[in-house]
Amino acid sequence: MYFLLTPSRVLHRRDSAANRQKRASDWWNLDISVVVAMALHVDHKATIIDGKAIAQTIRSEIASEVSTLIEKYGKAPGLAVVIVGHRKDSQSYVSMKRKACCEVGIKSIDIDLPEQVPEAELIAKVHELNADPNVHGILVQLPLPKHINEEKVLTEISIDKDGCIELLKRSGISIKGKRAVVVGRSNIVGLPVSLLLLKEDATVTVVHSRTEDPESMIREADIVIAAAGQPMMIKGSWIKSGAAVIDVGTNAVDDASRKSGYRLVGDVDFDQACKVAGWVTPVPGGVGPMTVAMLLKNTLDGAKRVIGQ
């Protein structure tokens, strides 16, 4: 004696031949449905958010608006770029940002301070820049020397001169009412992005190194902002089907096949995420190109609120 199991009941072998034939047909149809569903899942490919293209569009828009502002009021937006010390990587980043200002017509106000500048003096300089009507944006290049509390300095910068989540908006991704999980709680990304998402009416959860069972929290998210600094930490199985994944992480991992001996990866396993997510940013080429573009945009926005009033 044997039994044929179905989702709803157990059937004895002495059923009629007609019933057995019908059941065989039903199971065949079910198997075909499962196979098709699995194939669709395997073939799924997330929309890749092209940070380079979006950044270039933003820069072009900024250049046009700055030109109009200068023509109408005779005044250009001003970005104060503050660097402390002589780190080569920081010098390179600052040089790139100053060049970007020049390309779109924004005035770069250069503040170069010595490595041993007292914390109080740096904060006093930030206060001075906050009060300067010709300064519409402030960038303090990180990292700062060890004797300076970065958090204390950054909190002194006027809130009107900081932050944006343009990638989501430009990609047509709705934020209002959505569940968002920010992975990481740094002062540079995690906390500011959490506040910006709240401002856009998302329901926000912050996952950090002491969070229990982070996978289950991330799996519930419609929007994932990955900023933990851990290479490929977030696996495809952690991501909700159709979610938007913004990968802020930039991590170097060994790769003998590359001339440099390494390659850059994000905090998300990109290949796995592409099979599940609705949208995902690559690393490199996602959030990175947006950094300078948004810095310029925030400066322009600050200027538009002040110039002409």
Side-chain angles (χ1 to χ4, degrees):
M1 181 177 290
Y2 66 86
F3 296 89
L4 177 64
L5 300 178
T6 75
S8 59
R9 62 192 180 277
V10 179
L11 299 171
H12 195 276
R13 68 170 181 174
R14 287 180 296 213
D15 285 346
S16 69
N19 284 342
R20 288 199 299 273
Q21 184 176 359
K22 180 179 185 301
R23 285 198 306 277
S25 176
D26 290 343
W27 275 100
W28 170 252
N29 291 335
L30 175 62
D31 289 344
I32 289 295
S33 299
V34 170
V35 169
V36 170
M38 290 175 65
L40 288 172
H41 181 71
V42 170
D43 291 343
H44 173 80
K45 185 73 172 176
T47 298
I48 308 302
I49 299 176
D50 189 341
K52 287 183 180 179
I54 294 174
Q56 187 55 53
T57 297
I58 291 171
R59 288 195 189 205
S60 297
E61 294 170 356
I62 291 168
S64 177
E65 289 195 58
V66 168
S67 177
T68 300
L69 209 59
I70 294 172
E71 185 178 337
K72 189 172 182 179
Y73 298 106
K75 194 172 183 179
L79 173 65
V81 182
V82 182
I83 183 170
V84 179
H86 302 285
R87 282 178 58 115
K88 288 185 178 181
D89 55 349
S90 292
Q91 292 282 356
S92 176
Y93 293 143
V94 165
S95 175
M96 178 179 63
K97 290 162 186 174
R98 289 171 175 168
K99 180 182 177 183
C101 284
C102 181
E103 289 175 353
V104 299
I106 290 176
K107 182 181 179 182
S108 177
I109 301 161
D110 303 337
I111 309 294
D112 292 57
L113 299 174
E115 181 84 18
Q116 297 304 320
V117 65
E119 181 181 280
E121 185 177 330
L122 175 57
I123 290 175
K125 175 58 70 174
V126 169
H127 288 169
E128 179 186 325
L129 294 170
N130 275 333
D132 188 339
N134 294 313
V135 174
H136 310 103
I138 301 173
L139 166 70
V140 176
Q141 182 64 44
L142 300 180
L144 293 171
K146 294 186 182 298
H147 69 281
I148 297 176
N149 185 325
E150 291 182 352
E151 181 177 358
K152 191 173 180 181
V153 173
L154 294 176
T155 55
E156 296 296 330
I157 298 174
S158 171
I159 191 74
D160 290 336
K161 300 178 180 180
D162 199 25
C164 196
I165 44 174
E166 197 78 5
L167 272 176
L168 289 168
K169 291 182 177 180
R170 294 254 177 178
S171 300
I173 298 165
S174 175
I175 302 173
K176 185 175 181 179
K178 297 300 176 63
R179 291 184 180 182
V181 169
V182 179
V183 185
R185 54 178 170 178
S186 72
N187 296 318
I188 302 171
V189 180
L191 293 182
V193 168
S194 300
L195 294 174
L196 290 166
L197 287 166
L198 284 170
K199 188 177 179 182
E200 297 292 333
D201 295 323
T203 299
V204 182
T205 300
V206 177
V207 167
H208 51 79
S209 59
R210 297 293 181 267
T211 301
E212 294 185 2
D213 194 16
E215 300 98 313
S216 63
M217 295 185 180
I218 295 169
R219 203 174 288 119
E220 295 295 319
D222 303 302
I223 298 169
V224 178
I225 309 293
Q230 298 294 324
M232 298 191 291
M233 164 189 165
I234 299 173
K235 308 303 180 184
S237 60
W238 296 20
I239 298 170
K240 180 180 179 180
S241 179
V245 180
I246 306 297
D247 193 348
V248 184
T250 304
N251 311 284
V253 297
D254 293 337
D255 188 341
S257 68
R258 301 291 181 94
K259 185 176 181 180
S260 63
Y262 70 91
R263 61 189 170 93
L264 295 179
V265 299
D267 291 352
V268 176
D269 189 317
F270 180 75
D271 291 338
Q272 290 185 16
C274 283
K275 298 175 183 177
V276 185
W279 299 264
V280 64
T281 58
V283 176
V287 174
M290 291 292 292
T291 305
V292 175
M294 292 314 305
L295 175 66
L296 301 175
K297 183 178 186 302
N298 290 338
T299 301
L300 172 62
D301 290 344
K304 285 160 65 176
R305 288 192 291 268
V306 176
I307 296 176
Q309 289 187 355

